[in-house]
Amino acid sequence: MSVARSRILDLMKVQCRIFSTTYNPERLRTGNKILRQRLRGPSMAAYYPRRPVTLRDLRDAYPGFETWDDDEEERLEAIQLTKQRGKGAPKKKRTAEESKKLAGKRKKPSPPDAKSSKPATF
């Protein structure tokens, strides 16, 4: 004796209502298992320590106040000194044409020496 499909589906509906699960008679993938899990965001945010407030944060929050950052001033001074000696970072190329000029200035590798490429035979 087999039971009618409609009776089985009714039983499944009641079962889902009792156990508070999702009614899915076609057994489609709904992602319900993932959605039932607790959220990870709050626990991950609590794991890492809070970032301390910096002078840059204060300067951004209150642009009217004048602040002085010794570390930043030292960094800018060091960059200026290296540029004066000619050791600073090169200027960035702004257009494709400038980039092509740079590509033409690259050194070409020298051809291998004919004597050193062949193994010696005795």
Side-chain angles (χ1 to χ4, degrees), residues 40-56:
R40 296 181 185 164
S43 59
M44 287 177 72
Y47 178 79
Y48 295 102
R50 301 190 101 198
R51 189 174 65 97
V53 177
T54 62
L55 284 174
R56 177 174 279 174

Side-chain angles (χ1 to χ4, degrees), residues 17 23 33-34 46 59-60 69 71 79 82 86 105:
R17 201 173 323 127
Y23 176 67
K33 175 181 173 183
I34 305 299
R59 198 177 321 132
D60 293 341
D69 188 1
D71 294 333
I79 290 172
T82 55
K105 292 183 181 180

Side-chain angles (χ1 to χ4, degrees), residues 19-73:
F19 295 110
S20 65
T21 58
T22 306
Y23 176 67
N24 188 8
E26 288 86 29
R27 296 184 178 172
L28 299 174
R29 296 179 68 160
T30 60
N32 202 33
K33 175 181 173 183
I34 305 299
L35 294 173
R36 277 195 318 255
Q37 293 175 358
R38 68 183 184 89
L39 298 176
R40 296 181 185 164
S43 59
M44 287 177 72
Y47 178 79
Y48 295 102
R50 301 190 101 198
R51 189 174 65 97
V53 177
T54 62
L55 284 174
R56 177 174 279 174
D57 295 335
L58 290 174
R59 198 177 321 132
D60 293 341
Y62 304 104
F65 291 116
E66 184 158 341
T67 57
W68 185 262
D69 188 1
D70 289 333
D71 294 333
E72 182 70 14
E73 293 297 325

